[in-house]
Amino acid sequence: KMSKLPTSIEEIKQITALFYDERKRVVSEVAQISFIEMKKRHDRMLKHMRTNFEFLLRCRYAEIQKKRSAAKNSELNQIVAQLNEEHKERCDVWIERHDALLSSIKKNHEERMKRLIEELDTARENNKRALESYMLASSIILNKKPRTTMKAKDVISPVSPPAEEVGNK
């Protein structure tokens, strides 16, 4: 909590620099979090694919061992070709799913980043307006000189209506 309000241009510049640094930090954190989440999803998908592939290999290997003892070498080559084709088809499906997921993650990340940047810009604009208002009020207060000849009705308060309006009500 600040004990006094900034009155110099340097203090206002320091506040602006703090706002800018905070924005950079937030954007960096958001990017890091998005990357970590994307990496976690990717790792889970690879683990799932590896588990499924190992299971498929064990099942197929058992089949091949049974057929190897009873079939000729040409039949084994056909099974291997079939397995290769099935594997290729499954890999293609996983690649398509993976590409769709990555596209979705990238789109969501871009939307989040755009929204966060807009929020930061809005906050910066609000802070700018507040500082400008504070500077204007401070300069008005600093430039006012007390006049002993002024009457109470001549002093215009920023929060009260003019004296004529008060009398008319």
Side-chain angles (χ1 to χ4, degrees):
K1 190 171 181 181
M2 296 176 52
S3 62
K4 65 176 187 166
L5 295 175
T7 56
S8 71
I9 298 294
E10 286 302 312
E11 289 174 335
I12 293 172
K13 285 182 180 178
Q14 288 174 352
I15 290 171
T16 304
L18 288 173
F19 283 131
Y20 178 75
D21 291 343
E22 183 63 19
R23 176 180 181 253
K24 279 177 56 177
R25 186 189 66 76
V26 168
V27 168
S28 175
E29 284 181 12
V30 167
Q32 288 174 355
I33 290 169
S34 296
F35 178 78
I36 290 168
E37 289 301 317
M38 188 169 54
K39 176 84 170 96
K40 285 179 182 178
R41 283 188 184 151
H42 183 262
D43 291 345
R44 282 194 307 264
M45 285 176 49
L46 286 178
K47 183 179 178 183
H48 183 69
M49 285 174 52
R50 189 175 295 119
T51 303
N52 287 344
F53 185 70
E54 289 171 357
F55 176 75
L56 176 67
L57 282 179
R58 282 194 301 272
C59 292
R60 296 296 181 173
Y61 184 75
E63 288 178 27
I64 290 172
Q65 290 300 324
K66 290 177 186 175
K67 290 183 179 183
R68 183 180 274 173
S69 62
K72 295 180 181 176
N73 196 18
S74 62
E75 291 177 26
L76 181 62
N77 288 337
Q78 290 174 351
I79 293 172
V80 169
Q82 180 185 1
L83 281 175
N84 285 337
E85 185 63 32
E86 288 176 11
H87 174 68
K88 184 182 180 307
E89 290 172 3
R90 289 175 191 230
C91 285
D92 289 344
V93 168
W94 277 105
I95 288 171
E96 289 175 18
R97 288 179 184 171
H98 182 72
D99 288 344
L101 178 64
L102 287 179
S103 296
S104 172
I105 290 171
K106 183 179 178 184
K107 180 182 174 187
N108 290 340
H109 174 72
E110 289 171 352
E111 290 171 358
R112 287 180 188 159
M113 291 300 294
K114 183 179 177 182
R115 183 176 40 83
L116 285 172
I117 288 171
E118 287 173 358
E119 289 174 8
L120 286 171
D121 289 343
T122 301
R124 187 180 328 129
E125 189 63 31
N126 290 341
N127 290 332
K128 177 183 169 186
R129 283 192 203 115
L131 288 173
E132 288 172 349
S133 174
Y134 171 74
M135 288 175 48
L136 179 62
S138 297
S139 66
I140 289 171
I141 290 172
L142 290 174
N143 290 332
K144 274 192 176 178
K145 296 178 184 172
R147 296 183 185 171
T148 55
T149 58
M150 291 181 67
K151 298 179 182 174
K153 69 176 186 171
D154 295 333
V155 177
I156 299 174
S157 170
V159 291
S160 63
E164 304 85 43
E165 290 182 19
V166 173
N168 290 339
K169 287 186 181 181

